[in-house]
Every structure is written in structure tokens, then in C-alpha cells.
């Protein structure tokens, strides 16, 4: 059984952080074992942030794949982190890369990739991709499952 005494958010009532900078990504231990690394996927199909110029909401479908080494990101803390962007004004590229970098800083994974599939504003969808390097040898990397924009859904 994993010791959860150090977790401050899981199992507790926690308010949504007012900004991504205030959000805390918590981790739990992970025993990798032998063989190719596992790939863990988080999908956030209803991600929102704010346009830094107009203050209008921006919407995205975010897909995060990572190969954990010794730490997993605790999912409630990730949900709170992702929700904190609802009050955050930043361009699509900055939001997507910030999410990837924060998870890398918290978990120090073997590898991570993130795809931000942003819905159109002004008629142009913007898709943003970032990864830490080559994927781990021997790991199965499924397609992200998000089609090129044709009225995503």
C-alpha cells in the first residue's frame, strides 16, 4: 500500500488554485519493474484558459503521455492544476508547454510528450506539441486519438 500521508489534496476538500503558479503537483512513488517502460496517458478534452489579449476563453483537448521513472503525478493534483488555467491568460503555445514542463519538474519522467489541440478562434485551430526527447525504446505509444481539425469532437 502506498503511503498517502504526504499528500495534501487527495481525500480532502481543496479549492481550485487561482493560477497555475499556485497549483501544487503532488507525486506518489512508482516501481517501474523490468521490461519496457509503461506509458501513462492523461486526456483533458475540456481544457480552458483565457486569451491574454481579449480575456475570452480558449478551449483545447490536451493529451499527455509520459513514461514514469520513480514518481507518478497524483491525478487529483493534476486535475486541480489543469483547472487553474481557467483564470490564466496565456497563448496556446505557452499553456501547452507550461503544462509539460511542470509535470516534468514534478515527476522527472523518463520521457513526456504533450499535445494541445486548440479549437479555432478567428478560424484557425492551433495544435501545439512538445516532448522531452526520443520515446523510450520498446514502449508502445498509441496514437493520441485526436483527429486533425474538421469540427473536432
Amino acid at each position: 500500500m502506498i503511503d498517502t500521508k504526504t499528500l495534501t489534496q487527495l481525500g480532502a476538500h481543496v479549492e481550485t488554485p487561482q493560477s497555475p503558479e499556485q497549483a501544487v503537483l503532488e507525486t506518489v512513488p512508482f516501481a517501474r519493474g523490468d521490461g519496457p517502460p509503461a506509458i501513462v496517458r492523461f486526456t483533458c478534452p475540456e481544457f480552458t484558459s483565457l486569451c491574454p489579449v481579449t480575456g475570452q476563453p480558449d478551449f483545447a483537448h490536451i493529451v499527455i503521455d509520459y513514461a514514469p521513472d520513480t514518481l507518478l503525478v497524483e491525478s487529483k493534483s493534476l486535475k486541480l492544476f489543469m483547472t487553474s488555467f481557467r483564470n490564466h491568460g496565456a497563448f496556446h503555445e505557452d499553456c501547452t508547454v507550461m503544462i509539460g514542463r511542470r509535470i516534468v519538474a514534478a515527476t522527472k519522467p523518463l520521457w513526456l510528450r504533450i499535445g494541445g489541440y486548440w479549437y479555432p478562434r478567428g478560424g484557425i485551430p492551433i495544435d501545439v506539441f512538445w516532448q522531452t526527447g526520443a520515446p523510450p525504446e520498446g514502449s508502445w505509444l498509441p496514437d493520441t486519438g485526436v483527429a486533425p481539425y474538421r469540427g473536432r469532437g
Side-chain angles (χ1 to χ4, degrees):
M1 183 114 212
I2 293 177
D3 181 10
T4 59
K5 291 181 188 120
T6 60
L7 298 176
T8 62
Q9 300 171 92
L10 185 62
H13 175 76
V14 180
E15 296 294 325
T16 299
Q18 290 301 304
S19 70
E21 293 79 17
Q22 291 178 354
V24 176
L25 282 174
E26 296 186 324
T27 61
V28 294
F30 177 67
R32 234 180 69 198
D34 296 332
I39 301 296
V40 177
R41 172 170 289 169
F42 290 107
T43 304
C44 186
E46 298 176 347
F47 180 86
T48 59
S49 65
L50 299 176
C51 172
V53 177
T54 66
Q56 293 293 312
D58 286 322
F59 301 90
H61 184 146
I62 305 287
V63 179
I64 303 160
D65 292 321
Y66 77 110
D69 188 12
T70 61
L71 296 171
L72 299 170
V73 66
E74 192 281 310
S75 63
K76 181 177 180 180
S77 73
L78 179 66
K79 292 171 197 170
L80 290 165
F81 171 61
M82 299 296 275
T83 303
S84 74
F85 280 86
R86 290 184 180 168
N87 300 318
H88 182 71
F91 291 113
H92 304 334
E93 298 85 349
D94 293 331
C95 286
T96 305
V97 174
M98 177 193 289
I99 293 165
R101 287 188 172 147
R102 283 286 302 275
I103 295 170
V104 167
T107 65
K108 297 168 184 50
L110 301 171
W111 173 81
L112 178 138
R113 76 174 173 190
I114 182 169
Y117 301 87
W118 294 83
Y119 290 83
R121 295 256 333 247
I124 300 174
I126 298 173
D127 295 339
V128 181
F129 307 99
W130 183 79
Q131 68 182 28
T132 59
E137 179 102 14
S139 290
W140 177 58
L141 298 176
D143 181 86
T144 62
V146 182
Y149 188 79
R150 292 179 199 224
R152 261 186 208 129

